[in-house]
Amino acid sequence: MNKYIDEVLEKLVQKNENEKEFIQAATEVLVSLKPVIEKNPNYQKTALLERLTEPERIITFRVPWVDDNGAVQVNRGYRVQFSGAIGPFKGGLRFHPSVNQSIMKFLGFEQVFKNALTTLPIGGAKGGSDFDPKGKSDNEIMRFCQSFMNELQRHISHNLDVPAGDIGVGAREVGYLFGQYRKIKNTFEAGVLTGKGLEYGGSLARKEATGFGLIYFVREMLKANNIDLKNKTAIISGSGNVAIYACQKAAEYGVKVVAMSDSNGSIYDQNGIDLNEIKRIKEVERLRIKEYQKKYPNSIYTENKEGEIPSIYRIKADIILPCATQNDINIDCAKILVQNGAIAIGEGANMPTSNEAIEYFINNNVLLAPAKAANAGGVATSALEMSQNSMRYSWSFEEVDNKLDCIMTNIFNTCYKTAKEYNLGINYAAAANIAAFKKVSAAMDAQGII
Ligand code: NDP
Ligand code: 2IT
């Protein structure tokens, strides 16, 4: 290892000892930067890695709201503005009971690198709350979003910080957040949020972008390794925004998606998942995936068990698309997937694979499309939404989708070239980190010690 990286990591662990997800994300990146750090002693002189791993600003705040029974509830809100070196802070909001500072910091840290890879001018941030949207009425969601924005509005604007969706935050929530921002600020500042509805400044293809972009990236990765997507089988963990549109695009390329899941369990359909039924269950009715069996009694539902790997990963397939949450795939899970003959992993979720599992896949010649590169299509299209808002104009679906395809192809090419340049073999995860680091560190260098 490298002495400077070791020292930075040691201090980082001491300073953030309760933040295991953040330490995991930072370790994965710093370890992979060894070949670049060794070439340039200036990084140590300017404490570049120390600055890169310390957020520019962390905001936490109280979010009080009144539920439908008239009871007062209090949640905690966050915004981690990690790096503004290459553009306004940019990144999603997550509403999920598991949200804490460690998860916000890991997501904000990774967003810095992901956003750099898009080549668009956006810095990295993340935010959210430990609020649980499950089982809440529309009115409760609205009141929560309004209270959340009452505080967040002080810290965002189209040139400062531009939030969007993530787990538990979709078009409905962005609508309520935007409405409250507009009311407080008394101005129509379209570019302050992305993922908006099409009627008030949203971009066509933003909803589809993360899932579509993931498949464009996987297509390029397989092509570079002489493998065709057509007639492959796939399993997709999750059944939310990313999972649904990854499934749609994969099917368009002739992939048979045989299983999807939610946090309770997985559904296996040997004839291929009926995505319209999944959309009805998840996007319209907001029900559990088990519901799928009512229409397809021959499909198999397997409940997840506490402490065991998610049931979906026991199903055999060529292509594995984790599109749910972090640390879905640990080393035990990776071993099962390799044993079952997986060819490729495409990370739609952020950090779905543990560091040990990433290494195991690469050592076993399983192609891995790393999250920071492979799921960048969502935020890239958010940046295209910001461009359209600035121009007060909107592009057609085809125009945005074509730009997205170009961006994803370009990100893969960057990973491929960087892997060649640094003799990394198929370690596209390290290549993505290095390529992103080069851009962010150059911008930081140019701007002095700040
Ligand atoms: P959604 O809220 O639309 O869907 C999340 C899905 O993941 C649901 O099926 C949910 O199941 C499942 N899930 C969430 N948390 C857990 C958990 N703790 N354990 C098991 N399953 C869980 O979110 P998205 O589709 O937007 O996000 C999915 C992933 O993609 C996240 O990692 C997110 O950070 C990442 N991502 C999202 C982007 C976007 O544009 N939306 C862009 C880039 C990455 P259940 O309903 O049971 O909770
Ligand atoms: O993780 C992510 O890249 C997102 N949730 C999308 C962020 C965005 O600003 O569109």
Side-chain angles (χ1 to χ4, degrees), residues 375-394:
N375 75 29
V379 77
T381 307
S382 279
L384 299 179
E385 182 172 332
M386 291 163 72
S387 305
Q388 293 168 82
N389 293 152
S390 296
M391 290 189 288
R392 299 178 189 277
Y393 187 70
S394 52

Side-chain angles (χ1 to χ4, degrees), residues 94 134 166-168 206 210 239-242 263 288 324 349-350:
R94 177 177 292 191
K134 278 202 192 84
D166 192 78
I167 292 176
R206 172 62 188 89
T210 312
S239 45
N241 174 263
V242 180
S263 56
R288 310 311 300 158
N350 288 307

Side-chain angles (χ1 to χ4, degrees), residues 115-185:
N115 294 5
L117 287 171
T118 66
T119 72
L120 301 167
I122 38 179
K126 200 79 187 192
S129 174
D130 57 3
F131 172 72
D132 186 358
K134 278 202 192 84
K136 303 290 189 295
S137 69
D138 262 3
N139 274 327
E140 288 176 324
I141 298 284
M142 180 179 74
R143 287 194 295 273
F144 177 81
C145 289
Q146 290 175 340
S147 179
F148 187 85
M149 186 51 87
N150 284 345
E151 184 61 33
L152 187 68
Q153 54 91 14
R154 298 171 213 284
H155 310 289
I156 62 173
S157 92
H158 62 169
N159 285 325
L160 166 60
D161 183 354
V162 181
D166 192 78
I167 292 176
V169 178
R172 173 180 63 168
E173 291 73 19
V174 170
Y176 294 143
L177 291 164
F178 185 78
Q180 189 71 356
Y181 185 85
R182 187 170 72 75
K183 184 172 170 70
I184 296 170
K185 298 281 186 174

